[in-house]
Each structure stands twice: as structure tokens, then as C-alpha cells.
Amino acid sequence: MQEFIAHAPCGAVRGSEDGGVIAWRGIPYAQPPARFSPPMPMQPWSGVRDALEFGPSCPQEDVKRAPMAEDCLYLNIWSPGTAGKRPVMFFIHGGSFAGGSGSEEAYNGANLARNGDVVVVTFNYRVGILGFLDFSFIHDDFHANCGLFDVLEALRWVKANIAAFGGDLDNITVFGQSAGGTITSVLPVLPAARGLFSKCIVMSGGPTLLQGCREGHRTARSFLESAGVRDARGLRSIPAEEIPAFQREFVAHCGLGAGTFRISVDGALVPDYPIAAARTGIAKGIPMLIGTTREEMSFLLIKPLAKALDVDGIMQAGVEHEEDECKERIPLAYRQRYGKRRGQAMMFSDMVFRMGNIWYVQEYGRHCDVWMYRFDYETPAMKVSGLHAFHSSDIPFVFGNFKAGMGKLIFLLSPSMKKVRELSQEMQRDFVSFARTGRAAWPQCRNGDIPAKCYGKRCSVSPAVEEQIVRQYENTHFKKTSFMSSKEE
């Protein structure tokens, strides 16, 4: 077997061929972490370390991601070669901050690295109880946002070592989807992340989906009650293999669903909410590309899912602080524009993702270059199911993996893959071009304008959200709180 050895400051690592590029899997970027504490840098090793298998994922509910272990801080690299200085694309996986792994088949970076002549990095970070519950009130060694600390440590490792894998340490683009998109939206306004990357691509992330310190503590105390744990010793004594069961029971107990685990604005690592922070110009010099799928929340149209998620309850909670006139006007605007059934899904998509993105863009764009996109494409299976361009349906197109993850389902009824491959190539070209140059080929967002490249059967440029819909959110409590600083809480 041909050997592919990279000689990096961390130590020598042996990779293998994968889809026409070299892959290094399971490289430790930090020491095995102490529970609820920030990671410690990995010490260099001697000799040649095999990087042929993925490292364990963080303990979580999905047993398909076995093996799992608290010693989960590993990354993976795909590169066309060790010589040269290629743009680096550092991907942060999603999973509602409760699950996910950089080793998922859908995130295999071979196609993107080969087609774009870039270096692709994926990695694991702590999720769920271990990564995004704030127990700092129990013990001085415990911190909020441990999963976010992991992301920063992975970026530091990449900055220090990626040149040995053919990457340009001065041209690192962070891109992330869903929870990873939310993390990506936070990084440019994070003082601790300054200098670790130069550009970012936010895919279906929510810059308004963070929580305050007090809310984070309430959720953590709720976990203590659910688990029957009283102190730091009790938290440390939970066996790692039992964490997924504790997590499942807690999510059912607390009633927060996908919002159970979130980044906390703790006043330390995360000083403020992204929109308020962007207003200060802290992200200056970091171009951003940000977008969503068209019908992010269309799974709410599927009755069993909608029932399981208590859609009516979620909606009531989302608008409880609004005036009665607003509660009637906004849903009516969506019904009139999209019809009753689809209008509800579009309204949720805007409330959870797009409106927050637009308000972020308007503040971020005062100091930085920013572009928007929207993924509109529907395969026959997406149409028949009624899901349309739903959350995560763009992942196969960005990575070019059509038989993994979501691709196993959405291409089932496609008689030809020609258009799919063409659109995938166009998205990859656009993302790679942005990673290489920090610019996109369509109009950027300026002075409140929100043009977005819409990836459909025919690509076009249109407002990310129609003006008449955007107007509905003016003077709402939702908008006011989205612009709020942590100092105003």
C-alpha cells in the first residue's frame, strides 16, 4: 500500500488514498478532555502515527455513530497533496448541539477537496450534556460552552499544522451547517477566535438562537433534578456509556426539544449576542456568506412530526409577547402568500432561521462584506413528500456525496442525476471561490438590501425574503429582542 505521510509540528501522520485525494482520519487535536472543562492542547508525538480510522464520537443518542467516548476530540483531513498552499475549508457539523460527528459519511471531504483543489477538515466536538450545559455555578473547574472551546482548539491545531497537509494557514474558511452554522455565525464576533480564520460560510445557522447565562443555568439545574445529581462529584461520576440515556430522559423531561442545548452568552468566552456584537464592528475584515434552504422547517407539514414537536405550543411560545394584532397579521400574510399548509412551514423557517440571518446581515454588513444565498432545488422525492427544499437537503450538493446521509432518500425518484451533479458543481464552485478569494459573484448585501443567489433548476438572484414579508416583522417584540445586548437582559 502506498504511504502518505505528512510531517507536521504535531508529529508525523500516515494517511491513505480516498477518492483521488489523501485522507488522514482520527488525528487527535487535543488531549482527552476533563469533563465540563476546556480542552488542553495536544502534545507532539514521536514516530509516525496512523491516521487511517475515524476517532470516537462524543457520547450521544444515535448508536449508529459508535464507537463513542469522552475522548472524542479528533479531526479528519482530505487534501489533494502535501505540497502547495491551498485554501482550507474547516467544516463544523450540525446536530442540534445534541449529536453529530465529523466522521459522518455525508461529510466525507474527498469530492469537495478534489473538485475544488482545497483542503477540507472535519472534526468532532463535545455535544449535548458534555458540550452545551452550563454547570459553572457548581464548580470553578466547570465552564459553559465546552463544545465551543473544542471548536477553538481545533482551529488552533489547524492553524499550527495544516501547512504540512498542503493547506494555507493564512486562508482558512470556517463553514458549518445547522448547529454548526450557528457556531459559525458566532465565531467572527468572538474575541477568542480572532486570527484563527479569515472567512466564514453560515449554512442554516441561527445567530439569534443563543441563550443568556440565567437561562443556561436554569436548564442545567433542570438536568440535575432530572438526573438526581446534587454536586460536581455526582456529575463526574455518571458513566460515559450512560450519558446518552441520561440525555434522552432529560430532553423528554425539560420540554425544550431541539432547543435544549445551546451556546450560552456567558460574559466570558461569549461576551454578547452576535447581532449586538456585530454592531460594534468586531468582525471587520472577515467576509461572510450566509444562507438557508427555502423551506427549512417544512418537516412540520408532516403530521406525526408536527404532533411530536407540539407545533401549536411552539408557535404560542414564540409569539406570546407580541400584540394581538401582530399574532393575527403575520400568519395571515404567510397564508395569503403561500397558502395555509405551506405558509406555516415558511413562517417557521423565517422565524427560526431567515429573519435572524437578515438582521445579522444588516448589522454585519455595516463593517464587513457579506453575501447571501438560498437553496431552492427540489428533487422529485422532495416534491412528492411535501418536504420541498428542507433543512439539511443542501448537504449532499455541497459535499458532492449523493449516496450518503440525506442523499439516500432525496435522490430515490430521480430518473437522471445530470441536473443534480451540475447544481452540486455550481455550489461547490461558489463556495470554493468564496473560500479562495473572500468574494462571491453576485451582488453583496448593502444598505438593507438582501439579494441572495437562489440555487434552483435555474439559478437566479432574488431577495432572501420577500419585502412584504420582511415588513411584517418591523416593530415586533421578536425583532427587538433579536437586537438586544446581554447588557440589556
Side-chain angles (χ1 to χ4, degrees):
M1 182 180 72
Q2 184 179 359
E3 289 195 342
F4 302 96
I5 298 178
H7 297 275
C10 64
V13 282
R14 179 182 291 109
S16 58
E17 191 275 337
D18 181 12
V21 300
I22 310 169
W24 294 267
R25 301 176 178 90
I27 303 175
Y29 67 83
Q31 297 180 39
R35 192 173 285 186
F36 307 122
S37 295
M40 299 296 292
M42 190 66 190
Q43 298 302 308
W45 54 81
S46 58
V48 179
R49 183 186 184 107
D50 282 340
L52 307 175
E53 303 288 340
F54 292 116
S57 300
C58 180
Q60 57 192 266
E61 179 63 21
D62 192 344
V63 295
K64 291 185 294 184
R65 295 195 177 97
M68 297 185 288
E70 285 192 72
D71 178 12
C72 62
L73 304 185
Y74 295 86
L75 55 75
N76 320 293
I77 301 169
W78 288 265
S79 175
T82 55
K85 293 175 65 175
R86 297 174 179 85
V88 179
M89 298 186 71
F90 177 94
F91 180 71
I92 308 176
H93 69 76
S96 299
F97 295 102
S101 169
S103 60
E104 291 181 38
E105 195 179 3
Y107 307 142
N108 182 293
N111 289 324
L112 181 56
R114 183 186 64 251
N115 296 341
D117 192 31
V118 295
V119 176
V120 177
V121 180
T122 68
F123 69 108
N124 302 340
Y125 56 93
R126 281 173 287 178
V127 295
I129 295 164
L130 298 174
F132 292 97
L133 281 188
D134 179 5
F135 296 109
S136 59
F137 56 89
I138 288 181
H139 196 285
D140 289 344
D141 290 342
F142 292 176
H143 288 67
N145 302 311
C146 286
L148 186 56
F149 275 108
D150 297 343
V151 174
L152 293 170
E153 191 59 37
L155 275 169
R156 292 188 192 101
W157 189 97
V158 168
K159 186 81 172 176
N161 291 279
I162 204 64
F165 300 86
D168 184 351
L169 61 87
D170 293 319
N171 192 4
I172 299 171
T173 296
V174 174
F175 73 126
Q177 189 267 344
S178 194
T182 298
I183 293 173
T184 304
S185 74
V186 171
L187 289 175
V189 297
L190 213 60
R194 198 69 188 178
L196 296 179
F197 67 101
S198 55
K199 311 170 197 70
C200 61
I201 302 174
V202 180
M203 303 172 62
S204 301
T208 60
L209 301 180
L210 285 70
Q211 64 185 352
C213 190
R214 283 177 293 182
E215 187 175 1
H217 286 173
R218 278 198 302 270
T219 304
R221 287 191 170 95
S222 179
F223 172 78
L224 297 176
E225 178 184 335
S226 171
V229 173
R230 296 182 177 181
D231 53 23
R233 183 178 179 181
L235 281 171
R236 288 185 172 125
S237 67
I238 298 173
E241 62 271 16
E242 294 181 15
I243 285 175
F246 273 88
Q247 186 162 307
R248 179 181 64 250
E249 293 169 9
F250 171 56
V251 171
H253 168 80
C254 75
L256 295 173
T260 302
F261 305 106
R262 284 181 280 169
I263 294 172
S264 290
V265 180
D266 60 355
L269 180 64
V270 186
D272 209 345
Y273 293 93
I275 293 177
R279 194 181 302 134
T280 68
I282 190 174
K284 190 171 184 178
I286 303 177
M288 175 185 287
L289 174 61
I290 182 170
T292 65
T293 67
R294 188 170 188 269
E295 289 98 351
E296 291 278 358
M297 305 291 283
S298 59
F299 59 84
L300 296 176
L301 299 175
I302 310 301
K303 288 185 179 179
L305 290 174
K307 186 176 181 180
L309 287 166
D310 186 17
V311 171
D312 291 337
I314 294 171
M315 175 56 67
Q316 183 61 36
V319 300
E320 64 178 341
H321 298 293
E322 304 292 355
E323 300 291 337
D324 289 341
E325 177 273 336
C326 178
K327 294 178 184 178
E328 296 176 3
R329 171 172 48 80
I330 292 180
L332 177 62
Y334 282 94
R335 286 198 300 271
Q336 291 176 336
R337 178 64 185 87
Y338 302 107
K340 181 178 180 181
R341 190 167 179 270
R342 202 168 185 178
Q344 188 178 48
M346 292 295 288
M347 180 168 63
F348 269 103
S349 299
D350 287 345
M351 285 184 168
V352 175
F353 294 101
R354 261 192 299 273
M355 292 311 304
N357 282 1
I358 287 169
W359 295 329
Y360 193 32
V361 161
Q362 289 172 346
E363 295 302 319
Y364 197 95
R366 296 180 190 276
H367 307 280
C368 312
D369 293 334
V370 58
W371 288 263
M372 297 194 78
Y373 76 89
R374 195 179 71 206
F375 181 79
D376 294 358
Y377 186 77
E378 299 178 14
T379 65
M382 293 158 75
K383 280 186 178 180
V384 169
S385 67
L387 288 172
H388 307 290
F390 62 98
H391 188 66
S392 301
S393 60
D394 52 344
I395 288 289
F397 293 81
V398 172
F399 281 90
N401 298 324
F402 307 125
K403 297 180 180 180
M406 206 66 67
K408 294 176 182 176
L409 301 175
I410 65 177
F411 302 121
L412 281 176
L413 303 179
S414 299
S416 169
M417 292 291 287
K418 181 181 178 182
K419 180 59 189 176
V420 167
R421 294 184 186 282
E422 289 175 351
L423 186 60
S424 173
Q425 290 166 5
E426 183 161 358
M427 289 191 76
Q428 286 188 344
R429 281 196 301 269
D430 287 346
F431 278 38
V432 167
S433 177
F434 182 82
R436 183 166 277 117
T437 67
R439 301 195 64 78
W442 57 95
Q444 67 186 82
C445 300
R446 284 184 176 141
N447 303 320
D449 291 336
I450 49 172
K453 180 169 182 177
C454 301
Y455 294 98
K457 283 189 174 180
R458 294 179 181 176
C459 295
S460 61
V461 176
S462 300
V465 176
E466 296 170 358
E467 185 180 350
Q468 62 265 38
I469 294 294
V470 174
R471 284 200 303 267
Q472 301 299 322
Y473 292 92
E474 290 300 321
N475 304 314
T476 60
H477 182 267
F478 174 35
K479 182 174 182 179
K480 180 182 178 181
T481 56
S482 295
F483 280 76
M484 188 177 293
S485 167
S486 61
K487 300 177 182 64
E488 301 173 72
E489 289 186 312

